[in-house]
Amino acid sequence: MQKADSSSLFDDLDAALQSGSSEKRVAMLRQVTDLFLSKADRLNEEQIGVFDNVLVQLIQRIETRTLAEISERLAPVANAPIDLTLNLARHSEIGIARPILTNSSRLTTAELVEIAKTRGQDHLLAISERAQIETAVTDVLLDRGNQAVVHSVAGNSGASFSESGFAALLKAAETDDSLAEKTGSRLDLPLDLLRQLLVRASEAVRSRLLSRTPPEFQDEVHRALGAAVDAVDRESSKPRDFKAAKAFVELLREKGELNEGTLFEFARKRKYEETAVALSLLSSAALEIITPLMKSPMDEGLLIPCKVADCTWETVSALLATKLPPGAAPKPGHERLKIDFQKLSKANAQRLLRFWQVREVSARSA
């Protein structure tokens, strides 16, 4: 473009800014954008700054569709005007912000962190799809992101994760087979964390992930699994002395401090004796009925005293987790148990528990 043409353009620009006419502003925005893009590879930062000042003024009061178009055009440009880029990236309309958030290399890590901390899930999802993502950004995505965001960043090979980021992924993957598979497939996942993930994963996920790993690593994981199962078997089969637990939990009841929260904490800390005694007292069931249910490989029976004790599903889950190796994912069918527990009425649970107690008394007196 010749110098005269440029002078004419900026004369028109001044008139457009002064007039405030929407049509003129849109036309001028497109014209200035065209001019910038035609010269972008030859402009220095000072010259880019001139375009930046003009374009930031022009985008005021411009319709969404036009701004989304400008965002699409500027997103791949390595030296796009900085203030304009930030204005578009922070825009509340995701259609305008997405192209910049996903594709612009002009945004710094600090700017991405700031946007990730202050914008909604659509903006987080757009950031999670970037070709490269630094650990400071993924930490925020994992902390604030919903399931779609976490899955997206976990499946992004260009995303980097901090130690705490990988820990967050492993925690979320405990109850999400799809996420566990995405996490376990990452080439940058440290071997010790992959080993933990495989031990905690469901059988189906473990099988798929192991099929992609070297045979010697598969052997190591199988040994770790065997050791974990043996430890649980030893723990569940060792002789139990409930005397001290009974005295302690009954004292809590006398003081009015025995409740579902107490039971949950006992289960969470894997205090077997205290958990069994607390559930026994809260459900008014004999300890001889509770302990076999806690040892049984079948989980359905434990739902009965939990329903009688008015437990929430969170507490039931904590009790069921005591049957598994520490950190293991719930067994397949966990969600079905939740549905069964919700459907179970307290009256039916009480009738069944009374039947079990009568049968237990009869067995002892026989």
Side-chain angles (χ1 to χ4, degrees):
M1 184 174 287
Q2 301 299 315
K3 184 174 180 181
D5 295 331
S6 298
S7 298
S8 174
L9 172 63
F10 284 103
D11 287 342
D12 291 343
L13 170 61
D14 185 61
L17 290 172
Q18 296 302 322
S19 73
S21 163
S22 176
E23 293 79 5
K24 282 187 178 181
R25 293 176 74 89
V26 169
M28 187 56 59
L29 176 60
R30 289 197 171 110
Q31 194 174 354
V32 175
T33 302
D34 289 342
L35 179 60
F36 169 76
L37 291 173
S38 71
K39 297 177 176 292
D41 58 347
R42 302 190 297 277
L43 297 174
N44 59 37
E45 286 298 330
E46 184 179 356
Q47 292 167 325
I48 294 170
V50 174
F51 276 96
D52 206 0
N53 289 334
V54 171
L55 288 167
V56 167
Q57 291 182 69
L58 282 172
I59 64 170
Q60 306 304 315
R61 302 188 304 279
I62 295 292
E63 63 178 3
T64 299
R65 185 179 63 179
T66 303
L67 288 183
E69 171 198 322
I70 298 300
S71 182
E72 287 278 4
R73 297 182 68 191
L74 290 175
V77 181
N79 62 342
I82 294 175
D83 287 345
L84 175 64
T85 299
L86 279 171
N87 267 273
L88 296 173
R90 291 170 174 150
H91 203 285
S92 59
E93 288 287 342
I94 189 58
I96 296 169
R98 181 184 289 111
I100 300 293
L101 293 176
T102 301
N103 299 309
S104 178
S105 60
R106 205 55 157 145
L107 297 174
T108 66
T109 297
E111 288 161 352
L112 287 167
V113 167
E114 177 258 316
I115 293 169
K117 285 182 175 180
T118 57
R119 294 298 177 183
Q121 296 300 320
D122 287 339
H123 289 66
L124 297 181
L125 185 60
I127 294 172
S128 76
E129 296 168 354
R130 292 176 66 83
Q132 301 291 328
I133 314 178
E134 298 296 326
T135 57
V137 180
T138 57
D139 280 348
V140 181
L141 295 179
L142 292 172
D143 180 53
R144 293 196 66 234
N146 60 17
Q147 186 180 42
V149 172
V150 173
H151 273 255
S152 177
V153 73
N156 185 340
S157 61
S160 299
F161 294 90
S162 65
E163 185 176 337
S164 62
F166 272 128
L169 272 182
L170 259 64
K171 180 65 178 175
E174 289 179 6
T175 55
D176 187 331
D177 281 0
S178 176
L179 182 61
E181 193 163 351
K182 285 182 179 178
T183 303
S185 299
R186 292 193 61 87
L187 298 178
D188 57 344
L189 181 67
L191 278 178
D192 62 321
L193 296 185
L194 176 58
R195 190 181 300 111
Q196 290 180 39
L197 177 65
L198 288 167
V199 169
R200 300 176 187 180
S202 69
E203 186 61 40
V205 171
R206 187 183 304 130
S207 177
R208 288 194 291 271
L209 289 175
L210 282 174
S211 68
R212 306 170 195 163
T213 62
E216 60 271 19
F217 185 72
Q218 294 184 32
D219 293 341
E220 183 184 344
V221 170
H222 284 306
R223 284 195 296 273
L225 285 169
V229 171
D230 289 345
V232 172
D233 288 344
R234 287 194 301 273
E235 179 68 16
S236 63
S237 61
K238 73 181 184 181
R240 300 284 182 177
D241 182 2
F242 290 96
K243 185 176 180 181
K246 280 183 178 180
F248 174 60
V249 178
E250 285 175 352
L251 178 61
L252 290 179
R253 183 173 63 171
E254 289 173 11
K255 295 166 64 178
E257 296 176 5
L258 177 61
N259 51 41
E260 185 190 358
T262 316
L263 174 61
F264 174 79
E265 285 302 313
F266 285 151
R268 187 178 67 83
K269 294 175 181 176
R270 306 180 80 86
K271 293 186 174 182
Y272 180 88
E273 289 87 351
E274 289 84 352
T275 301
V277 173
L279 182 58
S280 168
L281 293 176
L282 288 171
S283 63
S284 301
L287 190 59
E288 290 77 11
I289 289 175
I290 300 299
T291 50
L293 296 177
M294 291 185 64
K295 291 181 180 180
S296 172
M298 305 297 291
D299 292 333
E300 290 81 355
L302 199 54
L303 303 183
I304 304 303
C306 287
K307 177 62 73 170
V308 174
D310 294 318
C311 293
T312 62
W313 179 247
E314 182 183 20
T315 299
V316 178
S317 292
L319 283 160
L320 294 174
T322 63
K323 296 178 160 194
L324 302 169
K331 294 180 186 176
H334 189 74
E335 286 304 310
R336 179 185 56 77
L337 280 177
K338 180 179 181 180
I339 294 171
D340 290 345
F341 183 71
Q342 290 169 340
K343 289 181 177 178
L344 178 65
S345 71
K346 183 175 180 178
N348 283 340
Q350 286 172 325
R351 278 193 288 271
L352 188 53
L353 199 55
R354 280 196 297 270
F355 169 74
W356 286 348
Q357 296 203 96
V358 169
R359 187 175 63 182
E360 172 66 24
V361 171
S362 299
R364 285 205 306 267
S365 61

